[in-house]
Amino acid sequence: MRPGTTTIALLLWLSVAGGASAQALLVGIAAPLSGPSAILGKQIATGASLAAQANDVDIKTVDDACSADGGAAAARELAAAKVNMVVGFLCTDAIEAALPILKDANIPVITVGVRTESLTDRRAKTGWPIYRLGPRGDDERNAVATTLTRLWQNELFAIIDDGTIYGREMAETFRAAAEQAALKPVFTDTFRPQLDNQIGLIGRLKKAGATHVFAGGDGDDIAIMGRDAAQLNAGIVFAGGENLRTPPGDVPYAVGTLMIAPPEWADIADPKVMQAFAGQKIVPDGYTLPAYAAVEIAKAASGLSEISAKPLADALTGHDFTTAIGPVRFDGKGDVSQSLYRVFRFDGTRFVHAENN
């Protein structure tokens, strides 16, 4: 009787242990799958689904409707499903309504699209388990200021903006950084946007001796400035932020125009992952690759949590994760620890990474 009992107990233990080890990680995917943002939400769902297939992860996808009510409903549904982590969210209203619910359920969240700074800035006060796989709202202007202050320290530069909140904030952040570095622009002004030409502005820039100009404004305006500067032989290099990523209208960008922006994820993604996308005829647009990377991080963090016997949220902080879009590390607030911004130069056809910046 005793040998048989021992064998049965051993088999039972192996069955339980095997079942526990075979239990897949369950990741919730929250994205706007209806309404005006549905096309972006479907990018998240597609990328997460492909990553789940490749990493033996189970997913549950819900529509947050890009609204507070939708975010709260999505969070309740995911908490009831006992997901281990949530990936996605593109809208501030949705994630701010979801986070208190997910916090109470001890479910960490990786957002791939919400830039609102307060999400992570208030983390110590709110206790929200939020991690951001993407830029903060202030990352762009800080990257412009830091990069151009370094690149143009020996140049005669000007700072102009189109009078919008975006343009003014970009210009003022650069101006303040330059002042702190004991640099002074030779010209500052607010220009009138959406004009057919900027000849008058270019004339004033040329008279001031500016050879490099940062313009806080739309790509169309910067393209027109580049064209007019060439016509006046002004010899000016223009620079802008992410707005230059949108192709201009009838006027192309001037060769040499600089853009400070994150890379196109498909340009730096793991070739094997890109092959997997191609094999399923999936175009890795927009948030597709960040969502893929977020699921990879969830899988890796789950493994770290099991090894350390610490909560999953703890495993997400201060560790390096290898992902399809490169290494990722979250700081103590939940933001990506390294700037995502790079310098790109227009070569006459497209913006290419400026190797020597």
Side-chain angles (χ1 to χ4, degrees):
M1 293 291 293
R2 188 171 296 172
T5 301
T6 302
T7 301
I8 292 172
L10 179 60
L11 290 173
L12 179 60
W13 181 87
L14 289 172
S15 174
V16 172
S21 63
Q23 184 176 4
L25 176 72
L26 179 59
V27 176
I29 311 301
L33 302 176
S34 59
S37 299
I39 187 171
L40 302 178
K42 289 174 183 176
Q43 292 172 356
I44 292 177
T46 298
S49 177
L50 195 58
Q53 295 172 28
N55 292 276
D56 191 26
V57 172
D58 289 337
I59 60 174
K60 179 176 176 59
T61 303
V62 296
D63 181 9
D64 68 24
C66 202
S67 68
D69 288 343
R76 287 191 291 268
E77 184 176 348
L78 293 172
K82 300 185 183 303
V83 301
N84 302 103
M85 187 182 297
V86 175
V87 165
F89 288 112
L90 294 180
C91 306
T92 300
D93 288 347
I95 196 170
E96 286 188 337
L99 280 169
I101 298 168
L102 297 173
K103 172 194 170 184
D104 290 344
N106 295 316
I107 300 172
V109 180
I110 300 177
T111 174
V112 298
V114 180
R115 296 195 177 194
T116 305
E117 296 120 73
S118 59
L119 281 182
T120 49
D121 286 348
R122 292 184 295 154
R123 183 173 174 178
K125 180 178 180 180
T126 63
W128 290 345
I130 178 67
Y131 298 83
R132 192 196 319 264
L133 184 58
R136 291 165 49 92
D138 54 1
D139 277 352
E140 181 185 13
R141 56 183 181 268
N142 288 336
V144 165
T146 301
T147 300
L148 295 184
T149 298
R150 174 174 54 84
L151 288 180
W152 292 356
Q153 58 183 319
N154 297 316
E155 307 292 352
L156 299 173
F157 66 91
I159 303 174
I160 60 177
D161 69 83
D162 63 1
T164 63
I165 294 176
Y166 168 82
R168 287 200 306 269
E169 287 184 342
M170 294 281 283
E172 179 57 26
T173 303
F174 179 23
R175 188 205 60 75
E179 181 178 342
Q180 189 172 8
L183 302 175
K184 185 177 181 180
V186 298
F187 181 89
T188 60
D189 199 3
T190 297
F191 66 88
R192 185 179 175 186
Q194 299 180 349
L195 297 179
D196 291 335
N197 74 77
Q198 293 285 356
I199 293 293
L201 172 64
I202 300 303
R204 295 194 298 277
L205 287 166
K206 184 177 180 180
K207 183 178 180 179
T211 59
H212 294 70
V213 176
F214 172 76
D218 288 342
D220 285 338
D221 290 322
I222 295 174
I224 289 172
M225 291 176 198
R227 179 203 64 191
D228 293 350
Q231 290 177 356
L232 294 180
N233 295 315
I236 296 174
V237 174
F238 287 91
E242 292 180 72
N243 276 0
L244 274 67
R245 177 145 283 153
T246 302
D250 297 332
V251 180
Y253 293 119
V255 173
T257 298
L258 301 179
M259 174 180 70
I260 293 86
E264 293 280 13
W265 299 123
D267 292 340
I268 64 169
D270 184 334
K272 292 182 180 179
V273 173
M274 293 298 290
Q275 289 175 6
F277 275 87
Q280 297 197 27
K281 298 182 179 179
I282 297 173
V283 179
D285 286 338
Y287 295 102
T288 311
L289 281 164
Y292 188 105
V295 172
E296 289 182 307
I297 293 171
K299 175 73 172 182
S302 176
L304 289 172
S305 176
E306 290 180 5
I307 293 171
S308 65
K310 292 182 178 180
L312 187 53
D314 291 352
L316 285 166
T317 303
H319 290 98
D320 294 315
F321 297 101
T322 300
T323 78
I325 57 175
V328 172
R329 184 183 183 93
F330 297 112
D331 64 20
K333 290 198 303 184
D335 290 316
V336 175
S337 60
Q338 297 292 327
S339 175
L340 300 172
Y341 286 79
R342 305 289 183 268
V343 181
F344 298 87
R345 181 176 287 107
F346 192 70
D347 67 0
T349 303
R350 63 191 184 96
F351 282 99
V352 297
H353 184 246
E355 298 291 342
N356 298 316
N357 55 54

